[in-house]
Every structure is written in C-alpha cells, then in structure tokens.
Amino acid sequence: MGNSALRAHVETAQKTGVFQLKDRGLTEFPPELQKLTSNLRTIDLSNNKIESLPPVIIGKFTLLKSLSLNNNKLTVLPEELCNLKKLEMLSLNNNHLRELPSTFGQLTALKTLSLSGNQLQALPPQLCSLRHLDVVDLSKNQIRSIPDTVGELQVIELNLNQNQISQISVKISCCPRLKVLRLEENCLELSMLPQSILSDSQICLLAVEGNLFEIKKLRELEGYDKYMERFTATKKKFA
C-alpha cells in the first residue's frame, strides 16, 4: 500500500476519530498512527498479517473505545495494551493467542471481548476482575475445563462453543449476571454438567448441542422445569 494512500487514511482519521484499514496485507501496526494517539476512538485493522502490537505506541490511545484486529497473526499482546482505560470493545478473533497479559484486568471499561479462534487452553482468570464485561466469546479455542474462579465472572453472555471442555465447576451457577451460556460441540458427559445450572442459576439460555449426550436426556434432569420457566419468561420479554 502506497504512502500517499496511507497518509490520506490518517488525515481522514484525524477528523473522524476512526481509522479503518482492512484487507491490505499489512505486516505491522502502522507507525503513522502515533500522530493520532490523542484523538482516535476506533481502530480496525482486521484481515491483515500483523504479528505484534508496538508496546510503546499501543498504550497511548487514551480515548480509544473500540479495537479490532480479527484475522491477523498476533501471538502475544503487550502489557501496555491494558493502559487503554476507555476501551469498551476488543475483538481479536482468529489470531494465535495462547494467553492474555497479566494486567488485562486493568481494562476496566471493557464490555465486549471476542477471542474466538485462538489457542487459549484455559479460561483467563483476569476476566473475573472486569466488572463491566457483558459479552465474552471464547469459542473455537482449546479450553478443557472451567475452574471455580468462573463464579466471579460478571458477564451476561459466555460463548464456549467448540472447545474441548469435559469439566465445569459448579460455581458457574453463582455468576450473578450470566443469562446465556453456550457450550455447543464440546466433550461434556451429561454427568459433568452441574445440575445447579438448571435449578439454581440466572441462566435462561443453555446451548449444549453436540456434546456426548442426547438433548432429550437433559430434559429428564431435576431442575429442568425451573430452567424452562426462566427460558420461557425471557422469550416472552423479547417477543
């Protein structure tokens, strides 16, 4: 991509606060964006070949609310990313991430996090300290179990489809705001699904197709009628 074209994008972004440069074969985060650290609210660099984010620059976008880097080649995120105190939406689907920075809990404004199609092997514990997090997509990773810390998650929707989950802590029933739990195409036996999800949680949409049991067996479990009450009440609300 020519320098003049990039300059034009930078000039436009200076006025709009939005920098979008998708499908351009970029191999690095454009250094020209350094000039815009104080006025960008949205950056979208999806569908490129970016392998890393520059630590020195990335933490300086103090007004940034939305950052999308889907379909790149990121293997690690710099700690400095966690300085983005106004960031509300972070989308990093289809990269090569194995973990999140230890300081990830500092992204206190984060509402939506998409990490589908990465290489995460565990539920990142840092997510438990994010109080405004509404939606988390961890589908298509390599997560095998859901630990006790899950009970501290504040999310409304948690997508864990297409992982390798065979164990779930009963603490998932304690999530105070969790309404939608997606567990399709995992390795769950029916005996490993905590019954309290049905009888004693806020969950009103449980998606478990494609596991190691028939859905009709789920309907025979104690507490299923309570779950269906919540499911029906929510359906009516949105009808």
Side-chain angles (χ1 to χ4, degrees):
M1 180 174 176
N3 274 346
S4 56
L6 185 53
R7 254 201 317 273
H9 275 278
V10 170
E11 281 171 22
T12 305
Q14 216 152 4
K15 297 169 193 156
T16 61
V18 176
F19 186 85
Q20 191 177 60
L21 208 55
K22 303 195 289 188
D23 303 291
R24 298 300 176 103
L26 298 178
T27 53
E28 63 173 6
F29 188 91
E32 292 82 356
L33 294 188
Q34 282 186 81
K35 304 170 193 162
L36 304 176
T37 50
S38 58
N39 60 344
L40 279 188
R41 290 185 307 281
T42 299
I43 295 175
D44 189 349
L45 293 166
S46 296
N47 308 338
N48 283 293
K49 297 173 183 173
I50 298 168
E51 293 182 9
S52 64
L53 299 177
V56 179
I57 304 172
I58 198 67
K60 291 183 178 171
F61 292 97
T62 48
L63 296 180
L64 199 66
K65 286 193 166 188
S66 174
L67 177 60
S68 298
L69 286 148
N70 300 319
N71 301 305
N72 275 282
K73 296 187 174 181
L74 298 173
T75 54
V76 68
L77 299 174
E79 300 271 337
E80 289 79 359
L81 177 73
C82 306
N83 296 337
L84 304 178
K85 296 291 185 273
K86 291 197 188 280
L87 194 68
E88 294 180 4
M89 196 282 290
L90 178 59
S91 195
L92 300 166
N93 297 328
N94 302 318
N95 279 280
H96 307 295
L97 299 169
R98 292 178 177 271
E99 59 184 7
L100 299 180
S102 59
T103 50
F104 199 80
Q106 292 174 14
L107 291 171
T108 48
L110 201 62
K111 292 179 181 176
T112 304
L113 174 63
S114 299
L115 288 163
S116 178
N118 278 280
Q119 294 168 19
L120 299 172
Q121 296 187 349
L123 184 78
Q126 301 93 315
L127 303 186
C128 295
S129 54
L130 295 170
R131 292 289 169 239
H132 299 287
L133 200 55
D134 291 332
V135 178
V136 174
D137 185 355
L138 298 172
S139 61
K140 300 180 184 174
N141 277 279
Q142 297 160 18
I143 300 168
R144 294 175 180 271
S145 65
I146 304 302
D148 288 350
T149 47
V150 72
E152 296 164 39
L153 265 185
Q154 296 292 318
V155 298
I156 296 169
E157 178 169 345
L158 179 59
N159 186 344
L160 292 162
N161 289 346
Q162 292 178 282
N163 276 279
Q164 297 159 23
I165 298 166
S166 59
Q167 284 186 307
I168 301 179
S169 165
V170 69
K171 298 280 188 193
I172 199 161
S173 311
C174 304
C175 293
R177 300 201 303 152
L178 187 61
K179 299 270 194 253
V180 177
L181 177 59
R182 301 185 186 281
L183 287 163
E184 294 179 346
E185 294 180 52
N186 275 282
C187 306
L188 281 168
E189 301 274 1
L190 189 58
S191 59
M192 288 292 145
L193 193 69
Q195 286 199 15
S196 53
I197 288 178
L198 299 173
S199 60
D200 194 24
S201 77
Q202 302 290 317
I203 296 164
C204 48
L205 176 61
L206 175 66
V208 287
E209 286 79 4
N211 279 281
L212 306 178
F213 59 86
E214 294 176 46
I215 292 298
K216 65 179 182 186
K217 297 283 186 196
L218 178 71
R219 298 182 190 129
E220 294 165 11
L221 288 184
E222 197 177 330
Y224 188 78
D225 51 342
K226 281 190 175 176
Y227 162 69
M228 280 312 292
E229 281 171 24
R230 295 194 303 273
F231 176 79
T232 309
T234 307
K235 222 171 165 187
K236 278 182 186 158
K237 203 188 292 182
F238 294 108

